[in-house]
Amino acid sequence: MFVVRRMKKHVVTISPAASLYEAREIMRGNNIHQLPVAGENGKLVGILSNRDIREATLPVGILRGATEEEAVELLKKTAVEKVMTRKVTVATLTDTLEDAIVLLHDFRINALPVVDDKGRVAGIITRTDVLKAFIEALGVGEISSRLEVVVPDRPGGLAKIVSIIKGFNVNITSILTTGHAEAGKRTIFFRVATINVLPLKQTIQEAGFEILDPSLYHV
Amino acid sequence: MNRVGFVYHSDYLLHAAPFDHPESPSRLLAIVEHLSSNGIADRMIPIEPVYPGESDILRVHDPEYLRKLEAACRRGDTTLDAEDTYLCRNSYTIALLSAGGAIAGAEAVATGMVRRAFCAVRPPGHHADRHTGMGFCLLNNVAVAARYLQAKHGISRVFIVDWDVHHGNGTQSIFLEDPSVFFFSIHEHPSFLYPGTGRRWETGKGAGEGTTINAPMSPGTGDEEYRLAFEQMLQPAVERFRPEIIMISAGFDAHREDPLADIEVTTEGYRFMTRFVCELAERHCGGKVVSVLEGGYEIPSLVASVAIHVQELLGT
Ligand SMILES: [Zn+2]
């Protein structure tokens, strides 16, 4: 899965010469928390978050007797480029969704502008987009049942189970696999589009695999 | 002893799978035989289910789905989806009679002919939504009966308690935006069990915001956790909503012996739940309770739980 498929393609940007007041209005109007700053030819030159704006007005905020008008005045006469973050963490159009997830996590950021090979803003991907992709990958909310199977950590286990499920003419809506608490084993998590998992479970067990009992694994 | 109606028809046994399937006619047959041989059935008032008019079904389901279901049965299709929701040539007719059974039970309670009713019907209904059947369910029996009560008996507020171990996704979606029907569902947590919906923040939508409650239960929980949920979530909801009648989507697959789920309710748990709902009905809606059978797939525990359920409805 690539970033391109999950990013928002219509990105609201702002010019570096615009005022913080304009930036704040745009953010409020679009219900977003950050704006990529695009210079000439749409090239990404920085990013501005609503936190940057809040911090810029802080000096006025703590002045005794300062008014809302004075804060607005300050916002109006301060250019975006004076406050924006210039060193932007970005994703590129060829990055994978995994790249984006790691970047968002490791750099502790909420949004990742996506740039093309000329450095122009082509999209933006946020933590929310990534979570949504993960919800879909897990099959949450799809009409289905859950199966957790423990297999030896060597090739072939998953294939065997999938063919058992296929034998029941049941759709698999999600598969995930992770290491198991016990060394040398893996857990495979399936969501299957059936209410009647009993014959599935029995056949999988008869084939020599362990089905995790959910009343034990939630504790 | 309360006057309790018992809705049943031997034609309910005619909906049968062409292959091995847990939702089998033998479930209902076992229930009826047990209630008869123990003399429980004699203490109830038999009620004949009636074939509903198409308009009764169309209050809940799409006409397109009805036609599709009818055609599929006539063609001899064996399932509606994978092998969950099977069909035979009789299935459409029996699904109508199943919904008609819930209507007949509701009607008898609404007119005062009986104080409570148990509708031993199948196929079950609570997974069926407006547009399609699923999870062994073809038509949403409880929803059809609730709408019937509203249309024909001037009842404005219906409260549905769904204690089948699976979330009643069909019933929830039908009434999601409707403030006149309260839907309370207690079920195994959707991360572990079909259908994968019914999380605690699903509380209704639009005008219906606040008239849906979901109580997802962790695998391995049982009577004690169910009691707490009834006391802390169900009771205040009923008190707030002030229903004119309470319906139960009575599945018995939360029983510890049931192989389809991981909940550990006992027959005594079903006694508690039934008594609790009846007491709420006594306080708020003249004791009117209409219970409609949903799931329950381990015959001995199903039969024992239904017997206790019915005895509590009788109040003996
Ligand atoms: Zn069920």
Side-chain angles (χ1 to χ4, degrees):
Chain A
M1 233 187 311
F2 289 91
V3 163
V4 181
R5 281 206 37 216
R6 290 286 173 178
M7 70 186 191
K8 285 184 201 77
K9 292 192 170 109
H10 299 284
V11 194
V12 190
T13 61
I14 193 155
S15 111
S19 73
L20 290 185
Y21 181 76
E22 269 176 79
R24 193 179 72 175
E25 293 306 297
I26 290 173
M27 283 187 203
R28 284 180 179 170
N30 290 281
N31 193 25
I32 49 179
H33 308 294
Q34 61 279 313
L35 281 173
V37 185
E40 273 172 58
N41 305 324
K43 271 184 92 161
L44 183 75
V45 295
I47 191 161
L48 182 77
S49 70
N50 55 1
R51 196 167 143 199
D52 296 332
I53 297 177
R54 258 200 317 273
E55 280 172 7
T57 56
L58 215 54
V60 175
I62 53 178
L63 272 181
R64 280 173 76 88
T67 62
E68 172 66 15
E69 288 83 61
E70 283 170 309
V72 168
E73 249 343 278
L74 179 70
L75 285 178
K76 280 183 174 166
K77 68 178 190 207
T78 310
V80 165
E81 59 191 339
K82 281 185 73 179
V83 185
M84 69 186 190
T85 305
R86 285 172 191 275
K87 201 166 162 282
V88 193
T89 307
V90 296
T92 68
L93 284 173
T94 52
D95 280 345
T96 61
L97 191 64
E98 289 94 319
D99 292 329
I101 294 174
V102 172
L103 284 170
L104 287 167
H105 176 263
D106 287 3
F107 290 85
R108 298 182 188 198
I109 47 182
N110 290 314
L112 204 54
V114 183
V115 294
D116 65 14
D117 51 3
K118 302 214 165 52
R120 290 176 303 206
V121 183
I124 192 161
I125 186 159
T126 64
R127 287 188 168 211
T128 311
D129 300 324
V130 163
L131 285 176
K132 186 161 179 260
F134 200 54
I135 288 171
E136 289 175 24
L138 283 171
V140 181
E142 273 194 73
I143 304 295
S144 56
S145 301
R146 168 176 173 145
L147 267 182
E148 277 196 41
V149 190
V150 181
V151 300
D153 196 2
R154 57 172 179 264
L158 177 61
K160 232 182 251 173
I161 296 161
V162 168
S163 84
I164 290 172
I165 298 174
K166 182 179 178 291
F168 283 91
N169 196 21
V170 165
N171 246 351
I172 299 172
T173 57
S174 169
I175 298 185
L176 231 83
T177 156
T178 61
H180 187 57
E182 237 176 283
K185 290 185 174 177
R186 289 191 77 74
T187 305
I188 310 178
F189 158 109
F190 296 91
R191 288 208 75 98
V192 287
T194 178
I195 178 174
N196 188 16
V197 284
L198 200 61
L200 273 177
K201 283 186 178 172
Q202 278 165 352
T203 315
I204 290 169
Q205 275 168 330
E206 280 159 17
F209 300 104
E210 179 193 346
I211 302 270
L212 283 182
D213 177 356
S215 33
L216 302 177
Y217 64 62
H218 83 281
V219 284
Chain B
M1 189 169 83
N2 295 301
R3 283 171 69 84
V4 176
F6 181 61
V7 181
Y8 174 71
H9 197 290
S10 57
D11 282 357
Y12 287 145
L13 308 176
L14 297 178
H15 167 68
F19 40 79
D20 213 26
H21 197 284
E23 205 292 281
S24 69
S26 57
R27 297 173 58 231
L28 206 49
L29 200 57
I31 289 174
V32 172
E33 279 174 356
H34 184 78
L35 295 182
S36 303
S37 67
N38 285 19
I40 302 172
D42 293 339
R43 287 150 56 202
M44 306 206 283
I45 294 145
I47 296 173
E48 277 278 301
V50 286
Y51 280 97
E54 203 174 66
S55 61
D56 294 325
I57 305 294
L58 292 180
R59 287 190 200 102
V60 167
H61 294 286
D62 259 357
E64 215 171 296
Y65 167 55
L66 272 197
R67 282 195 299 274
K68 195 183 122 186
L69 181 62
E70 186 179 17
C73 294
R74 195 177 305 139
R75 261 200 316 269
D77 286 9
T78 54
T79 66
L80 198 61
D81 41 32
E83 294 188 359
D84 273 2
T85 316
Y86 65 81
L87 299 174
C88 64
R89 289 194 184 269
N90 301 316
S91 295
Y92 177 70
T93 312
I94 304 309
L96 288 176
L97 194 63
S98 186
I103 288 179
E107 171 112 52
V109 172
T111 57
M113 204 262 272
V114 294
R115 192 171 182 81
R116 291 164 192 163
F118 178 66
C119 309
V121 300
R122 63 182 288 279
H126 74 148
H127 294 306
D129 68 13
R130 172 166 284 282
H131 313 287
T132 186
M134 63 182 94
F136 312 165
C137 301
L138 296 177
L139 300 175
N140 197 309
N141 307 322
V142 162
V144 167
R147 282 278 182 254
Y148 180 89
L149 287 172
Q150 293 187 315
K152 295 289 173 74
H153 291 278
I155 286 176
S156 43
R157 290 181 312 280
V158 180
F159 197 107
I160 300 173
V161 179
D162 185 333
W163 71 46
D164 187 281
V165 78
H166 303 94
H167 177 233
N169 60 310
T171 316
Q172 172 169 308
S173 79
I174 288 162
F175 298 118
L176 195 66
E177 299 188 47
D178 185 342
S180 73
V181 177
F182 201 113
F183 181 64
F184 174 94
S185 183
I186 183 164
H187 46 263
E188 183 173 338
H189 193 287
S191 282
F192 306 98
L193 195 70
Y194 184 92
T197 54
R199 290 172 198 272
R200 64 183 152 73
W201 52 85
E202 294 171 25
T203 52
K205 224 172 119 182
E209 178 63 55
T211 52
T212 295
I213 287 184
N214 281 294
M217 310 300 279
S218 293
T221 54
D223 293 356
E224 182 58 16
E225 291 83 358
Y226 270 60
R227 182 181 65 78
L228 286 173
F230 270 47
E231 289 172 358
Q232 294 172 1
M233 299 168 82
L234 176 61
Q235 181 170 339
V238 170
E239 284 167 357
R240 248 191 354 262
F241 187 69
R242 294 176 298 110
E244 290 153 76
I245 193 162
I246 300 181
M247 300 194 71
I248 304 174
S249 255
F252 297 93
D253 41 8
H255 196 280
R256 64 180 345 155
E257 298 300 331
D258 197 283
L260 259 60
D262 318 287
I263 296 293
E264 307 275 317
V265 168
T266 68
T267 44
E268 282 309 306
Y270 285 111
R271 184 194 304 283
F272 167 81
M273 290 193 272
T274 309
R275 189 175 290 177
F276 196 90
V277 170
C278 287
E279 282 169 3
L280 284 174
E282 291 300 330
R283 287 206 293 279
H284 297 280
C285 50
K288 294 193 187 75
V289 175
V290 182
S291 171
V292 181
L293 182 67
E294 301 282 359
Y297 304 99
E298 201 266 341
I299 305 274
S301 62
L302 169 67
V303 162
S305 303
V306 167
I308 280 184
H309 175 61
V310 167
Q311 279 167 316
E312 284 299 320
L313 292 176
L314 285 161
T316 53

